[in-house]
Amino acid sequence: REGYEHLLRRYLEPEFGELLVSDLTPALVRRWWAGLSPEHPTVNARAYALLRAILTTAVTDELLASNPCRVRAASNPPTKKEIRPATLAELDVLVKEMPDQLGALVLLCAWCALRVGEVLELRRRDLDLNRGVVKVTRAVSWVRGQPIVGTPKSAAGTREVSVPPHIVPALELHLEKHVQPGAGALLFPSMRDHERHMQPTVLHTA
């Protein structure tokens, strides 16, 4: 919702806010699209997709005879570069170079394929090292500087993930040294307050 509201305020309302829906034409949409900055192709594609969705509703409600969004492939963001997973040697360097309390986070993300929002909401009760599993039932995201805890991105995101045996000792040591007692204690809390979530931006500079 926050993302859509931003696109509406920043990209759609300045151009179309004073117009009646019935006044929108393919030429107006095409002119707006051509005027967007080429430096932000992904955001442009999202803004166009939002406009098209809004006008599709207008067609359904019979406020428009047809959708004026007709720029070919405009809602398709550019293909991202292929991501190359780290080698075992590179992963070992990453773990060693991270602050001591974050090495286990790198291991969990790498070996258990967890998203950052999922791993930053993990609690002591979610890690069952006797069974060798981590339970993913929640994720945290940040909206306007505040943490919002919800479910993972999709229904399939709620899952139990096997923990490779070779990283169990590192996780046990992390629980002993860096996690507060109690089932609800965050595995990777803020470095300043163990009851607050760590912001993902911390990982960019760690």
Side-chain angles (χ1 to χ4, degrees):
R1 177 175 176 176
E2 174 71 13
Y4 286 145
E5 288 179 347
H6 169 73
L7 293 172
L8 189 65
R9 291 192 306 267
R10 174 67 176 81
Y11 293 93
L12 303 187
E13 287 184 347
E15 183 74 19
F16 305 114
E18 299 298 322
L19 296 176
L20 295 173
V21 170
S22 57
D23 290 336
L24 292 178
T25 65
L28 286 175
V29 173
R30 196 177 301 111
R31 184 183 67 186
W32 163 76
W33 173 254
L36 295 176
S37 171
E39 297 181 3
H40 307 288
T42 299
V43 174
N44 294 348
R46 290 174 180 168
Y48 183 91
L50 177 59
L51 178 63
R52 187 177 65 177
I54 291 170
L55 298 182
T56 295
T57 302
V59 172
T60 301
D61 291 346
E62 299 183 354
L63 300 175
L64 283 172
S66 62
N67 196 323
C69 291
R70 302 175 189 174
V71 181
R72 186 182 297 274
S75 59
N76 297 330
T79 303
K80 295 182 179 179
K81 295 181 180 178
E82 182 179 355
I83 297 176
R84 180 185 66 81
T87 65
L88 294 180
E90 290 169 339
L91 181 59
D92 186 52
V93 171
L94 284 172
V95 172
K96 290 179 179 178
E97 292 297 323
M98 292 293 280
D100 190 42
Q101 62 269 47
L102 296 181
L105 183 149
V106 175
L107 291 173
L108 275 174
C109 286
W111 288 103
C112 298
L114 302 187
R115 299 181 179 93
V116 170
E118 294 171 343
V119 79
L120 291 182
E121 169 51 21
L122 288 178
R123 312 278 174 157
R124 184 182 279 272
R125 62 174 173 264
D126 299 318
L127 194 59
D128 187 343
L129 297 181
N130 291 325
R131 293 176 55 219
V133 297
V134 57
K135 291 173 281 188
V136 182
T137 59
R138 303 169 312 282
V140 61
S141 57
W142 289 81
V143 178
R144 297 177 182 173
Q146 297 298 318
I148 305 296
V149 176
T151 56
K153 292 183 68 175
S154 65
T158 300
R159 62 204 188 277
E160 282 194 354
V161 182
S162 296
V163 176
H166 72 277
I167 72 170
V168 168
L171 297 179
E172 290 176 334
L173 183 61
H174 177 80
L175 290 172
E176 180 183 339
K177 292 180 60 178
H178 302 297
V179 182
Q180 296 295 310
L186 288 164
L187 293 191
F188 305 101
S190 164
M191 294 186 181
R192 296 182 178 180
D193 184 346
H194 61 78
E195 294 184 357
R196 293 180 59 84
H197 289 87
M198 179 185 298
Q199 293 201 28
T201 51
V202 171
L203 304 177
H204 302 163
T205 56

